Short mmCIF file of all heavy atoms in Angstrom, two decimals:
data_model
loop_
_atom_site.label_atom_id
_atom_site.label_comp_id
_atom_site.label_asym_id
_atom_site.label_seq_id
_atom_site.Cartn_x
_atom_site.Cartn_y
_atom_site.Cartn_z
N ALA A 66 8.17 -14.67 12.13
CA ALA A 66 8.05 -15.91 12.91
C ALA A 66 7.46 -17.00 11.95
O ALA A 66 6.82 -16.69 10.92
CB ALA A 66 7.08 -15.67 14.08
N PRO A 67 7.63 -18.26 12.27
CA PRO A 67 7.05 -19.36 11.43
C PRO A 67 5.54 -19.23 11.34
O PRO A 67 4.88 -19.02 12.29
CB PRO A 67 7.46 -20.63 12.17
CG PRO A 67 8.54 -20.24 13.15
CD PRO A 67 8.36 -18.80 13.44
N GLY A 68 5.04 -19.33 10.08
CA GLY A 68 3.61 -19.35 9.87
C GLY A 68 2.91 -17.99 10.20
O GLY A 68 1.68 -17.99 10.37
N ALA A 69 3.67 -16.93 10.28
CA ALA A 69 3.07 -15.72 10.75
C ALA A 69 2.87 -14.72 9.66
O ALA A 69 3.68 -14.63 8.68
CB ALA A 69 3.98 -15.05 11.82
N TRP A 70 1.79 -13.90 9.78
CA TRP A 70 1.55 -12.73 8.92
C TRP A 70 2.10 -11.53 9.61
O TRP A 70 2.07 -11.45 10.83
CB TRP A 70 0.03 -12.51 8.68
CG TRP A 70 -0.56 -13.45 7.69
CD1 TRP A 70 -1.22 -14.65 8.04
CD2 TRP A 70 -0.57 -13.35 6.32
NE1 TRP A 70 -1.64 -15.25 6.86
CE2 TRP A 70 -1.25 -14.46 5.78
CE3 TRP A 70 -0.03 -12.42 5.40
CZ2 TRP A 70 -1.45 -14.65 4.49
CZ3 TRP A 70 -0.22 -12.66 4.05
CH2 TRP A 70 -0.96 -13.73 3.59
N SER A 71 2.64 -10.56 8.82
CA SER A 71 3.14 -9.35 9.44
C SER A 71 2.95 -8.22 8.41
O SER A 71 3.04 -8.42 7.23
CB SER A 71 4.66 -9.55 9.71
OG SER A 71 5.25 -8.34 10.11
N THR A 72 2.74 -6.99 8.98
CA THR A 72 2.68 -5.85 8.17
C THR A 72 3.90 -4.96 8.55
O THR A 72 4.06 -4.65 9.75
CB THR A 72 1.33 -5.09 8.43
OG1 THR A 72 0.28 -5.93 8.03
CG2 THR A 72 1.29 -3.78 7.55
N HIS A 73 4.64 -4.63 7.57
CA HIS A 73 5.79 -3.79 7.83
C HIS A 73 5.67 -2.44 7.12
O HIS A 73 5.26 -2.37 5.98
CB HIS A 73 7.07 -4.50 7.31
CG HIS A 73 8.37 -3.88 7.77
ND1 HIS A 73 8.76 -3.95 9.07
CD2 HIS A 73 9.26 -3.14 7.09
CE1 HIS A 73 9.90 -3.31 9.21
NE2 HIS A 73 10.19 -2.79 7.99
N ALA A 74 5.96 -1.38 7.86
CA ALA A 74 5.82 -0.07 7.25
C ALA A 74 7.11 0.71 7.24
O ALA A 74 7.92 0.64 8.15
CB ALA A 74 4.76 0.71 8.11
N LEU A 75 7.32 1.44 6.18
CA LEU A 75 8.51 2.28 5.98
C LEU A 75 8.02 3.61 5.48
O LEU A 75 7.04 3.67 4.72
CB LEU A 75 9.54 1.70 4.99
CG LEU A 75 10.38 0.59 5.48
CD1 LEU A 75 11.07 -0.04 4.21
CD2 LEU A 75 11.44 1.07 6.40
N THR A 76 8.67 4.70 5.80
CA THR A 76 8.42 6.03 5.23
C THR A 76 9.61 6.51 4.47
O THR A 76 10.70 6.55 5.05
CB THR A 76 8.01 7.00 6.34
OG1 THR A 76 6.86 6.44 7.01
CG2 THR A 76 7.65 8.30 5.75
N LEU A 77 9.44 6.90 3.22
CA LEU A 77 10.50 7.43 2.41
C LEU A 77 10.30 8.92 2.27
O LEU A 77 9.23 9.40 1.90
CB LEU A 77 10.49 6.84 1.01
CG LEU A 77 11.01 5.44 0.80
CD1 LEU A 77 10.02 4.41 1.33
CD2 LEU A 77 11.29 5.18 -0.67
N PRO A 78 11.37 9.72 2.57
CA PRO A 78 11.30 11.18 2.23
C PRO A 78 11.50 11.33 0.73
O PRO A 78 12.33 10.68 0.13
CB PRO A 78 12.52 11.77 3.04
CG PRO A 78 13.48 10.55 3.21
CD PRO A 78 12.59 9.35 3.20
N VAL A 79 10.60 12.18 0.18
CA VAL A 79 10.76 12.42 -1.31
C VAL A 79 10.87 13.91 -1.52
O VAL A 79 9.95 14.67 -1.35
CB VAL A 79 9.44 11.95 -2.02
CG1 VAL A 79 9.59 12.09 -3.52
CG2 VAL A 79 9.20 10.46 -1.67
N PRO A 80 12.11 14.37 -1.94
CA PRO A 80 12.33 15.80 -2.16
C PRO A 80 11.54 16.25 -3.37
O PRO A 80 11.67 15.73 -4.45
CB PRO A 80 13.87 15.86 -2.47
CG PRO A 80 14.38 14.51 -2.15
CD PRO A 80 13.27 13.53 -2.14
N ARG A 81 10.72 17.33 -3.16
CA ARG A 81 10.01 18.01 -4.18
C ARG A 81 9.48 17.06 -5.24
O ARG A 81 9.90 17.17 -6.45
CB ARG A 81 10.87 19.12 -4.79
CG ARG A 81 11.28 20.18 -3.80
CD ARG A 81 12.05 21.31 -4.45
NE ARG A 81 11.16 22.04 -5.34
CZ ARG A 81 11.39 22.27 -6.64
NH1 ARG A 81 12.54 21.87 -7.19
NH2 ARG A 81 10.54 22.92 -7.40
N PRO A 82 8.50 16.20 -4.97
CA PRO A 82 8.05 15.22 -5.95
C PRO A 82 7.28 15.86 -7.15
O PRO A 82 6.70 16.96 -6.99
CB PRO A 82 7.07 14.33 -5.13
CG PRO A 82 6.58 15.21 -4.05
CD PRO A 82 7.80 16.11 -3.70
N MET A 83 7.40 15.25 -8.26
CA MET A 83 6.59 15.58 -9.39
C MET A 83 5.17 15.21 -9.12
O MET A 83 4.90 14.11 -8.55
CB MET A 83 7.10 14.92 -10.65
CG MET A 83 8.51 15.31 -11.09
SD MET A 83 8.63 16.96 -11.67
CE MET A 83 7.88 16.82 -13.32
N LEU A 84 4.22 16.06 -9.47
CA LEU A 84 2.84 15.81 -9.20
C LEU A 84 2.03 15.17 -10.32
O LEU A 84 2.43 15.33 -11.52
CB LEU A 84 2.14 17.18 -8.84
CG LEU A 84 2.65 17.89 -7.60
CD1 LEU A 84 2.04 19.27 -7.51
CD2 LEU A 84 2.39 17.09 -6.36
N TRP A 85 1.07 14.37 -9.93
CA TRP A 85 0.20 13.73 -10.91
C TRP A 85 -0.97 14.69 -11.18
O TRP A 85 -1.58 15.19 -10.25
CB TRP A 85 -0.32 12.43 -10.36
CG TRP A 85 -1.33 11.71 -11.30
CD1 TRP A 85 -1.06 10.82 -12.25
CD2 TRP A 85 -2.75 11.98 -11.39
NE1 TRP A 85 -2.20 10.44 -12.91
CE2 TRP A 85 -3.28 11.18 -12.39
CE3 TRP A 85 -3.61 12.87 -10.71
CZ2 TRP A 85 -4.57 11.16 -12.74
CZ3 TRP A 85 -4.96 12.87 -11.04
CH2 TRP A 85 -5.44 12.02 -12.09
N TRP A 86 -1.33 14.90 -12.45
CA TRP A 86 -2.47 15.66 -12.84
C TRP A 86 -3.30 14.88 -13.86
O TRP A 86 -2.67 14.17 -14.69
CB TRP A 86 -2.05 16.97 -13.47
CG TRP A 86 -1.34 17.95 -12.59
CD1 TRP A 86 0.04 18.04 -12.42
CD2 TRP A 86 -1.89 18.88 -11.69
NE1 TRP A 86 0.35 19.04 -11.49
CE2 TRP A 86 -0.83 19.56 -10.99
CE3 TRP A 86 -3.22 19.22 -11.41
CZ2 TRP A 86 -1.05 20.56 -10.10
CZ3 TRP A 86 -3.44 20.22 -10.47
CH2 TRP A 86 -2.35 20.87 -9.82
N PRO A 87 -4.59 15.11 -13.98
CA PRO A 87 -5.31 14.52 -15.12
C PRO A 87 -4.89 15.26 -16.39
O PRO A 87 -4.38 16.39 -16.30
CB PRO A 87 -6.79 14.79 -14.71
CG PRO A 87 -6.74 15.90 -13.78
CD PRO A 87 -5.40 15.85 -13.05
N TRP A 88 -5.19 14.70 -17.53
CA TRP A 88 -4.76 15.25 -18.81
C TRP A 88 -5.20 16.69 -18.98
O TRP A 88 -4.57 17.49 -19.62
CB TRP A 88 -5.23 14.36 -19.98
CG TRP A 88 -6.73 14.44 -20.25
CD1 TRP A 88 -7.68 13.64 -19.64
CD2 TRP A 88 -7.40 15.36 -21.01
NE1 TRP A 88 -8.94 14.02 -20.12
CE2 TRP A 88 -8.78 15.07 -20.96
CE3 TRP A 88 -6.98 16.42 -21.86
CZ2 TRP A 88 -9.76 15.82 -21.64
CZ3 TRP A 88 -7.99 17.15 -22.55
CH2 TRP A 88 -9.36 16.84 -22.46
N SER A 89 -6.35 17.02 -18.42
CA SER A 89 -6.90 18.39 -18.63
C SER A 89 -6.21 19.50 -17.84
O SER A 89 -6.45 20.64 -18.03
CB SER A 89 -8.41 18.36 -18.27
OG SER A 89 -8.56 17.93 -16.94
N HIS A 90 -5.33 19.09 -16.91
CA HIS A 90 -4.67 20.07 -16.03
C HIS A 90 -3.14 20.02 -16.08
O HIS A 90 -2.44 20.82 -15.54
CB HIS A 90 -5.12 19.86 -14.55
CG HIS A 90 -6.52 20.31 -14.32
ND1 HIS A 90 -7.60 19.48 -14.60
CD2 HIS A 90 -7.05 21.47 -13.86
CE1 HIS A 90 -8.71 20.08 -14.34
NE2 HIS A 90 -8.44 21.32 -13.90
N GLY A 91 -2.61 19.01 -16.74
CA GLY A 91 -1.15 18.87 -16.78
C GLY A 91 -0.75 17.47 -17.21
O GLY A 91 -1.47 16.84 -17.96
N ARG A 92 0.36 17.00 -16.64
CA ARG A 92 0.92 15.65 -16.96
C ARG A 92 0.62 14.69 -15.79
O ARG A 92 0.75 15.01 -14.65
CB ARG A 92 2.41 15.72 -17.18
CG ARG A 92 2.83 16.46 -18.44
CD ARG A 92 4.32 16.37 -18.74
NE ARG A 92 4.91 15.11 -18.33
CZ ARG A 92 4.94 14.02 -19.05
NH1 ARG A 92 4.27 13.91 -20.16
NH2 ARG A 92 5.51 12.90 -18.56
N PRO A 93 0.33 13.45 -16.21
CA PRO A 93 0.09 12.44 -15.14
C PRO A 93 1.45 11.80 -14.73
O PRO A 93 1.77 10.64 -15.09
CB PRO A 93 -0.77 11.40 -15.85
CG PRO A 93 -0.36 11.48 -17.27
CD PRO A 93 -0.05 12.95 -17.52
N ASN A 94 2.31 12.59 -14.07
CA ASN A 94 3.65 12.10 -13.64
C ASN A 94 3.51 10.89 -12.69
O ASN A 94 2.83 11.05 -11.69
CB ASN A 94 4.37 13.25 -13.02
CG ASN A 94 4.66 14.36 -13.98
OD1 ASN A 94 5.21 14.13 -15.06
ND2 ASN A 94 4.28 15.55 -13.59
N LEU A 95 4.16 9.83 -13.01
CA LEU A 95 4.12 8.60 -12.25
C LEU A 95 5.49 8.19 -11.81
O LEU A 95 6.49 8.37 -12.54
CB LEU A 95 3.46 7.49 -13.00
CG LEU A 95 1.97 7.67 -13.36
CD1 LEU A 95 1.49 6.62 -14.28
CD2 LEU A 95 1.11 7.71 -12.08
N TYR A 96 5.56 7.58 -10.63
CA TYR A 96 6.78 6.99 -10.12
C TYR A 96 6.63 5.39 -10.12
O TYR A 96 5.54 4.95 -9.94
CB TYR A 96 7.06 7.46 -8.66
CG TYR A 96 7.51 8.86 -8.58
CD1 TYR A 96 6.61 9.87 -8.51
CD2 TYR A 96 8.89 9.17 -8.54
CE1 TYR A 96 7.04 11.19 -8.47
CE2 TYR A 96 9.35 10.48 -8.40
CZ TYR A 96 8.38 11.47 -8.36
OH TYR A 96 8.84 12.80 -8.25
N GLY A 97 7.76 4.74 -10.29
CA GLY A 97 7.75 3.30 -10.08
C GLY A 97 8.30 3.02 -8.73
O GLY A 97 9.28 3.58 -8.25
N VAL A 98 7.62 2.09 -8.04
CA VAL A 98 8.09 1.65 -6.68
C VAL A 98 8.46 0.17 -6.80
O VAL A 98 7.62 -0.63 -7.30
CB VAL A 98 7.00 1.85 -5.63
CG1 VAL A 98 7.50 1.35 -4.29
CG2 VAL A 98 6.59 3.28 -5.55
N ARG A 99 9.64 -0.16 -6.43
CA ARG A 99 10.09 -1.54 -6.46
C ARG A 99 10.44 -2.02 -5.03
O ARG A 99 11.21 -1.32 -4.34
CB ARG A 99 11.32 -1.75 -7.31
CG ARG A 99 11.83 -3.15 -7.40
CD ARG A 99 13.00 -3.26 -8.34
NE ARG A 99 13.62 -4.55 -8.31
CZ ARG A 99 13.23 -5.67 -8.92
NH1 ARG A 99 12.12 -5.58 -9.69
NH2 ARG A 99 13.83 -6.80 -8.82
N VAL A 100 9.84 -3.05 -4.58
CA VAL A 100 10.15 -3.65 -3.26
C VAL A 100 10.81 -5.01 -3.54
O VAL A 100 10.18 -5.85 -4.18
CB VAL A 100 8.86 -3.83 -2.41
CG1 VAL A 100 9.23 -4.57 -1.13
CG2 VAL A 100 8.16 -2.53 -2.20
N GLU A 101 11.99 -5.16 -3.04
CA GLU A 101 12.72 -6.42 -3.22
C GLU A 101 13.12 -6.96 -1.83
O GLU A 101 13.60 -6.20 -0.98
CB GLU A 101 13.96 -6.19 -4.05
CG GLU A 101 14.64 -7.52 -4.44
CD GLU A 101 15.74 -7.32 -5.52
OE1 GLU A 101 15.84 -6.17 -6.03
OE2 GLU A 101 16.42 -8.31 -5.86
N ALA A 102 12.88 -8.24 -1.62
CA ALA A 102 13.26 -8.92 -0.36
C ALA A 102 14.22 -10.01 -0.64
O ALA A 102 14.10 -10.78 -1.61
CB ALA A 102 11.97 -9.51 0.28
N THR A 103 15.26 -9.99 0.18
CA THR A 103 16.28 -11.08 0.07
C THR A 103 16.42 -11.69 1.46
O THR A 103 16.22 -11.04 2.49
CB THR A 103 17.63 -10.48 -0.38
OG1 THR A 103 18.00 -9.42 0.53
CG2 THR A 103 17.56 -9.93 -1.77
N GLU A 104 16.79 -12.96 1.47
CA GLU A 104 17.06 -13.62 2.75
C GLU A 104 18.34 -13.01 3.27
O GLU A 104 19.37 -12.95 2.60
CB GLU A 104 17.24 -15.12 2.50
CG GLU A 104 15.91 -15.82 2.13
CD GLU A 104 16.03 -17.29 2.04
OE1 GLU A 104 17.05 -17.85 2.59
OE2 GLU A 104 15.20 -17.90 1.37
N ALA A 105 18.25 -12.54 4.52
CA ALA A 105 19.38 -11.79 5.06
C ALA A 105 20.68 -12.59 5.15
O ALA A 105 21.79 -12.10 4.92
CB ALA A 105 19.04 -11.22 6.42
N GLU A 106 20.54 -13.88 5.48
CA GLU A 106 21.77 -14.70 5.64
C GLU A 106 22.39 -15.13 4.35
O GLU A 106 23.53 -14.98 4.12
CB GLU A 106 21.43 -15.95 6.47
CG GLU A 106 21.11 -15.64 7.97
CD GLU A 106 20.77 -16.86 8.73
OE1 GLU A 106 21.13 -18.01 8.28
OE2 GLU A 106 20.16 -16.73 9.77
N SER A 107 21.57 -15.69 3.39
CA SER A 107 22.13 -16.18 2.11
C SER A 107 22.19 -15.13 1.05
O SER A 107 22.94 -15.33 0.07
CB SER A 107 21.24 -17.38 1.70
OG SER A 107 19.97 -16.88 1.27
#
Side-chain angles (χ1 to χ4, degrees):
W70 284 96
S71 173
T72 299
H73 191 72
L75 282 168
T76 301
L77 283 75
V79 183
R81 298 185 65 235
M83 295 292 284
L84 296 172
W85 177 95
W86 295 95
W88 71 270
S89 57
H90 289 82
R92 289 187 34 82
N94 295 306
L95 295 172
Y96 287 85
V98 179
R99 180 177 173 82
V100 177
E101 188 169 354
T103 55
E104 292 183 22
E106 291 180 19
S107 69

